[in-house]
Amino acid sequence: ASAEAAEQYHSAATLEEELRQLAQARPDIAELKEIGRSIEGRPILALRIGDRRGGVPKLLFMGCHHAREWIAVEVPFLLAKELVERADEAPIAGWLTSGEIWVAPMVNPDGHEHSRAQERLWRKNRRRNGDGSFGVDPNRNYGYMWGILDVPTSSHVPSDETYVGPRAFSEPETQAVRDLVGCERFAGVITYHSYSQLILYPWGYTEKSIPDAQHREQMVGMAQEMQTLIQEVHGKIYVPQQSSELYPTAGDTTDWTYGTYGIPSFTVELRPRTFQEGGFILPPDQILPTWEENRPAAFRFIEQLLVAPVA
Ligand code: 0X9
Ligand code: ZN
């Protein structure tokens, strides 16, 4: 069963191949970019989708900061595929004229390959920490409030699952995202993870709310709307909450994108809801329904931030 699953989920190589095909099929609207290279030298890829008329708003969707979260590759990949394959249909055609959508489905390719071939439940990247242990948690390595916590969910011990790394942006995987976001000035970010079915917004490092009440209202409102849209498809409930309500972490992706640039940013935890339902091991027959329920939420996010950006 697990060999079968490995075939239906993308490897780093099959993802690269399919992203390349999408870019080749529609060079007028899609371009494959290497935004960096992993520790083991794998390309970190993003598909840029849009007419590129210059000065347009841009959105970023990412997946698979965590190696074992295989479904978090598939949802952003299927988003990219649909945007390219239906680029001439409404409403997508309009989006690709008014803005640009960037999709990076596998931020941590080394960890992902390790999860596929060696240790299914591997989480981190494949950094040699020098003490015999491997891996920095890419979702603790971003440079906003980096390292301020020392707790089990955000650890300074190299062998721990949530090791923050020796310094902010010590890893090529987070450097790639840092450099992309620094160049492209995104109007919104969604980063896909699994599991738990949650829609998380900043802060993650503190139980305090973000100071800007308008931003908070906007993100809470969008998260609630996404919850409704998701539930309408297959009845699954994705609970909106502040990241720190799940547990506190410092140096996660959305604290950095919001804290540094003020970008509305969400961490979406995909299926399943519980450990009992399989946890990180999501049967491949759930790839499509998970995409189906997340599609209208992603589309709404695009409508709100690309077509009618809030001032
Ligand atoms: O721990 C994480 O990085 C995310 N959960 S996961 O199970 N996919 O590893 C959640 C990050 C959200 N941020 C905070 N909880 N602060
Ligand atoms: Zn994760």
Side-chain angles (χ1 to χ4, degrees):
S2 76
E4 197 185 303
E7 278 171 32
Q8 295 183 53
Y9 283 96
H10 284 92
S11 66
T14 61
L15 177 71
E16 175 168 359
E17 175 60 27
E18 289 199 52
L19 290 175
R20 204 170 288 290
Q21 283 171 11
L22 290 175
Q24 266 169 15
R26 291 298 304 262
D28 53 328
I29 51 133
E31 184 187 359
L32 187 58
K33 300 266 205 180
E34 180 176 314
I35 62 170
R37 288 209 162 227
S38 66
I39 286 177
E40 292 176 350
R42 294 186 175 87
I44 300 169
L45 299 170
L47 197 66
R48 184 191 64 74
I49 312 164
D51 293 349
R52 193 129 219 177
R53 300 262 161 83
V56 292
K58 298 166 188 178
L59 300 178
L60 175 61
F61 293 86
M62 290 183 281
C64 199
H65 276 71
H66 290 142
R68 61 195 174 192
E69 299 167 13
W70 294 9
I71 186 62
V73 178
E74 304 305 317
V75 166
F77 170 74
L78 287 166
L79 171 65
K81 185 173 152 76
E82 176 147 343
L83 293 174
V84 172
E85 291 181 347
R86 310 182 82 165
D88 300 325
E89 298 171 30
I92 295 171
W95 298 342
L96 301 187
T97 302
S98 53
E100 234 172 57
I101 298 162
W102 289 66
V103 186
M106 197 185 287
V107 171
N108 176 13
D110 295 353
H112 191 70
E113 286 304 300
H114 189 75
S115 167
R116 290 176 61 85
Q118 307 283 330
E119 290 177 71
R120 177 63 184 81
L121 291 180
W122 188 257
R123 170 181 170 94
K124 301 185 283 182
N125 74 357
R126 291 298 293 166
R127 168 72 67 192
R128 273 175 189 277
N129 291 325
D131 63 349
S133 77
F134 280 83
V136 167
D137 185 340
N139 209 31
R140 302 291 181 274
N141 193 240
Y142 285 85
Y144 188 81
M145 298 289 162
W146 175 86
I148 66 156
L149 300 176
D150 196 353
V151 291
T153 51
S154 204
S155 168
H156 288 257
V157 177
S159 57
D160 281 357
E161 286 278 75
T162 61
Y163 175 44
V164 300
R167 62 194 170 273
F169 293 119
S170 56
E171 305 309 298
E173 295 84 2
T174 53
Q175 289 164 13
V177 177
R178 176 195 65 190
D179 296 347
L180 177 66
V181 173
C183 281
E184 301 292 342
R185 309 176 116 266
F186 291 101
V189 169
I190 291 183
T191 180
Y192 291 102
H193 284 254
S194 74
Y195 61 92
S196 290
Q197 296 176 196
L198 301 170
I199 303 167
L200 305 173
Y201 47 83
W203 301 119
Y205 80 96
T206 175
E207 283 169 24
K208 282 186 287 189
S209 299
I210 55 170
D212 187 313
Q214 231 179 307
H215 286 178
R216 181 177 166 83
E217 269 172 52
Q218 185 196 13
M219 282 194 272
V220 171
M222 289 178 74
Q224 286 170 345
E225 205 175 339
M226 286 195 256
Q227 172 188 25
T228 305
L229 289 166
I230 290 169
Q231 197 175 345
E232 279 169 4
V233 179
H234 294 301
K236 297 290 184 189
I237 295 169
Y238 286 51
V239 177
Q241 60 181 216
Q242 185 170 324
S243 291
S244 56
E245 286 181 63
L246 176 61
Y247 44 70
T249 69
D252 84 0
T253 310
T254 59
D255 275 9
W256 178 75
T257 52
Y258 178 73
T260 305
Y261 295 104
I263 303 170
S265 304
F266 299 92
T267 302
V268 175
E269 298 276 1
L270 298 163
R271 289 192 194 191
R273 192 174 65 82
T274 64
F275 175 79
Q276 287 71 24
E277 291 171 277
F280 299 106
I281 318 290
L282 187 71
D285 64 1
Q286 293 201 36
I287 296 172
L288 217 53
T290 304
W291 159 237
E292 286 166 354
E293 69 200 6
N294 279 277
R295 172 172 39 199
F299 279 21
R300 184 78 188 117
F301 178 80
I302 295 170
E303 280 284 345
Q304 283 180 310
L305 294 175
L306 215 56
V307 181
V310 183

